[in-house]
Amino acid sequence: MKIRSLLLGLVAVGLSATAVAADPIVIKFSHVVAQDTPKGKAAEKFKELAEQYTNGAVKVEVYANSTLYKDKEEMEALQLGAVQLLAPSLAKFGPLGVREFEVFDLPYIFDGYDALNKITQGPVGQQLLAKLEPKGIKGLAFWDNGFKSFSANTPIKKPEDLRGKKMRIQSSKVLEEQMREVKSLPQVMAFSEVYQALQTGVVDGTENPHSNLFTQKMHEVQKHMTLTDHGYLGYAVITNKKFWDGLPAEIRTQLDKAMAESTVYANQIAKEENDKALEGVRAAGKTEIYEPSAEEKAAFKKAFVPVHKKMESRIGKELIQSIYQETGFDPAKL
């Protein structure tokens, strides 16, 4: 692979996470969304706190908007040590072989932030992060983005309105099954390519939290958006385990502190930023925003929740049931 050859070359000339660090220690933090999204702002907050708490012994370089690595490249870059911090969406860990993370992609498994936080901030979340270590990855935190809405150039008021539409999704077997469940056509595509694909009609629509849709200007090329809150998009902040374990203990302690405070900040601003982005979409006047009634939202839930059962063999029935128990979700009541 071209990216592997490039990265192995970089490692060979001394950019490995295990190489003797210059003074200051440089931490490259790469992500694929805009700087003014919840993740982008949280990354800048971590930079600020990390440099402050280490008294300049650490320098954090943040690369937003896929300027360093794209979706498909960044995980390999981290494992090879060419970048030290990522915050990939949780859907990225299934293709890496840690399928349990795909539980976050299940439609309607979290009924709002309170239910979500019982998992991401509790023992189930910590158990999931620990599953990354055999891959050479250390999970540091979960960061929220928000709950997703569907957008397209035709109205989406009921599940049947998605039938036959080419819908962009992240690479996730769960999201593929989600779209097939309502007879739409899932199209896996890098985040950086979505705007052009929508503009040119390569895909008909997509699913995004409002902040992603607005900051990437997708609302300019989508005439309709429906506030379904059908799925969650969040991130795991991860590092190269060998790099992290090799840091001086006092530096790691301060970075842990910076990460903990950045995580509180990230999760506080997530809903606020998505609400502001929704108002931005509304103010732009190019997208008609539809809010389903309780009955209409129940119809979406009923249409999508069968995906949970279909994915048990992939994700793990025990894990899904443990989330039901923590959050009080009962699919039988739909």
Side-chain angles (χ1 to χ4, degrees):
M1 291 173 60
K2 186 176 179 182
I3 180 69
R4 178 174 285 276
S5 301
L6 171 64
L7 296 176
L8 287 173
L10 291 174
V11 169
V13 297
L15 292 179
S16 167
T18 58
V20 176
D23 187 18
I25 298 167
V26 175
I27 295 178
K28 293 181 179 178
F29 190 160
S30 173
H31 66 82
V32 302
V33 299
Q35 188 173 334
D36 56 347
T37 58
K39 178 164 66 172
K41 290 185 175 184
E44 294 295 334
K45 175 62 73 173
F46 174 75
K47 168 183 169 65
E48 173 194 331
L49 294 176
E51 293 175 354
Q52 175 187 332
Y53 291 156
T54 62
N55 293 315
V58 167
K59 179 184 178 185
V60 179
E61 298 176 353
V62 179
Y63 297 87
N65 251 341
S66 305
T67 53
L68 192 59
Y69 297 108
K70 293 184 179 180
D71 270 342
K72 295 176 183 178
E73 304 168 343
E74 61 176 15
M75 199 76 80
E76 188 176 10
L78 183 86
Q79 289 175 298
L80 289 169
V83 65
Q84 289 73 47
L85 275 181
L86 302 176
S89 60
L90 298 169
K92 299 295 190 300
F93 297 106
L96 190 68
V98 191
R99 292 179 176 178
E100 292 90 342
F101 274 81
E102 292 181 350
V103 76
F104 290 102
D105 290 339
L106 289 173
Y108 290 111
I109 195 167
F110 303 113
D111 188 17
Y113 287 100
D114 288 344
L116 167 72
N117 292 339
K118 288 178 181 177
I119 303 306
T120 56
Q121 297 176 22
V124 174
Q126 291 307 306
Q127 290 162 15
L128 286 169
L129 291 178
K131 291 181 181 294
L132 298 173
E133 299 206 0
K135 305 290 183 183
I137 293 169
K138 182 172 179 61
L140 300 176
F142 289 100
W143 285 0
D144 290 343
N145 184 338
F147 289 89
K148 295 182 286 189
S149 292
F150 284 120
S151 66
N153 282 327
T154 52
I156 301 170
K157 296 185 178 181
K158 55 187 183 298
E160 292 79 7
D161 293 334
L162 290 161
R163 188 186 298 266
K165 284 188 169 58
K166 293 176 290 183
M167 299 294 289
R168 182 267 171 177
I169 58 165
Q170 299 181 77
S171 179
S172 163
K173 295 300 182 185
V174 175
L175 295 179
E176 286 182 26
E177 188 61 39
Q178 169 191 281
M179 301 318 299
R180 290 195 182 102
E181 190 68 24
V182 291
K183 305 293 191 296
S184 67
L185 307 172
Q187 308 289 309
V188 175
M189 183 178 296
F191 186 67
S192 57
E193 299 168 7
V194 178
Y195 177 90
Q196 186 174 7
L198 292 169
Q199 186 179 42
T200 56
V202 171
V203 294
D204 298 314
T206 187
E207 54 167 20
N208 274 295
H210 308 143
S211 63
N212 281 6
L213 182 117
F214 183 63
T215 58
Q216 295 295 318
K217 303 186 188 303
M218 295 179 201
H219 63 289
E220 295 180 354
V221 288
Q222 294 279 265
K223 294 178 182 176
H224 295 271
M225 178 168 68
T226 302
L227 309 182
T228 46
D229 291 335
H230 63 278
Y232 168 71
L233 179 63
Y235 311 105
V237 187
I238 58 174
T239 185
N240 179 293
K241 187 176 187 301
K242 197 169 184 180
F243 165 78
W244 197 260
D245 291 347
L247 290 170
E250 65 275 13
I251 293 290
R252 197 164 56 242
T253 297
Q254 297 306 318
L255 292 178
D256 283 337
K257 180 182 177 184
M259 182 56 65
E261 293 183 20
S262 301
T263 298
V264 171
Y265 170 78
N267 295 342
Q268 282 177 343
I269 67 169
K271 186 176 187 307
E272 176 187 328
E273 290 294 315
N274 278 291
D275 288 347
K276 282 167 57 179
L278 180 60
E279 289 312 306
V281 173
R282 203 184 302 276
K286 296 185 176 182
T287 307
E288 185 175 325
I289 298 168
Y290 184 74
E291 186 162 1
S293 67
E295 292 77 13
E296 287 170 326
K297 186 168 278 192
F300 277 106
K301 283 187 179 181
K302 190 170 183 178
F304 281 120
V305 165
V307 174
H308 295 202
K309 188 75 174 175
K310 292 182 178 180
M311 290 289 109
E312 282 181 351
S313 61
R314 181 178 178 85
I315 296 171
K317 182 177 180 179
E318 187 176 326
L319 174 59
I320 294 171
Q321 292 295 327
S322 71
I323 291 179
Y324 287 174
Q325 290 167 9
E326 289 284 336
T327 64
F329 182 86
D330 185 355
K333 292 183 177 178
L334 294 178

